């Protein structure tokens, strides 16, 4: 649940991008069922962001995609250098 009535300050962290997407998309797979995902991300790539906020964004995108396709043939790809 997002709190839309107040401004939330991002809690910035240095995060390994590949591990972040593996964890978040893996959680979605367990909740929504099986779908394909392809991660083409350099394993040493780190970025500074708020992992909780970005997780909410990614979960919303995956959930919306899953609903739009009824889960049939859903394949999600993420690439980063």
């Amino acid at each position: 649940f997002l709190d839309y009535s107040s401004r939330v300050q991002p809690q910035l962290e240095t995060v390994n991008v590949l591990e972040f997407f593996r964890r978040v998309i893996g959680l979605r797979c367990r909740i929504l069922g099986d779908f394909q995902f392809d991660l083409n991300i350099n394993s040493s790539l780190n970025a500074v962001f708020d992992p909780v906020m970005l997780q909410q964004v990614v979960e919303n995108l995956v959930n919306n995609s899953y609903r739009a396709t009824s889960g049939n043939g859903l394949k999600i790809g993420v690439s980063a250098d």
Side-chain angles (χ1 to χ4, degrees):
F1 175 73
L2 294 176
D3 183 5
Y4 294 106
S5 63
S6 64
R7 207 163 181 73
V8 178
Q9 290 296 321
Q11 301 299 310
L12 300 179
E13 299 177 26
T14 300
V15 179
N16 180 276
V17 177
L18 178 59
E19 291 305 316
F20 171 81
F21 277 100
R22 279 185 178 156
R23 182 179 57 79
V24 172
I25 293 177
L27 288 170
R28 290 291 93 194
C29 282
R30 285 191 286 278
I31 292 169
L32 297 175
D34 196 27
F35 61 88
Q36 293 182 343
F37 65 96
D38 179 31
L39 300 177
N40 183 15
I41 301 171
N42 183 325
S43 63
S44 64
L45 180 63
N46 293 317
V48 177
F49 57 86
D50 183 322
V52 173
M53 287 182 163
L54 187 56
Q55 180 173 340
Q56 290 174 340
V57 170
V58 172
E59 286 177 348
N60 280 334
L61 290 171
V62 171
N63 290 342
N64 292 343
S65 299
Y66 190 86
R67 279 194 287 269
T69 63
S70 300
N72 297 323
L74 178 61
K75 182 174 182 178
I76 295 174
V78 180
S79 297
D81 292 328

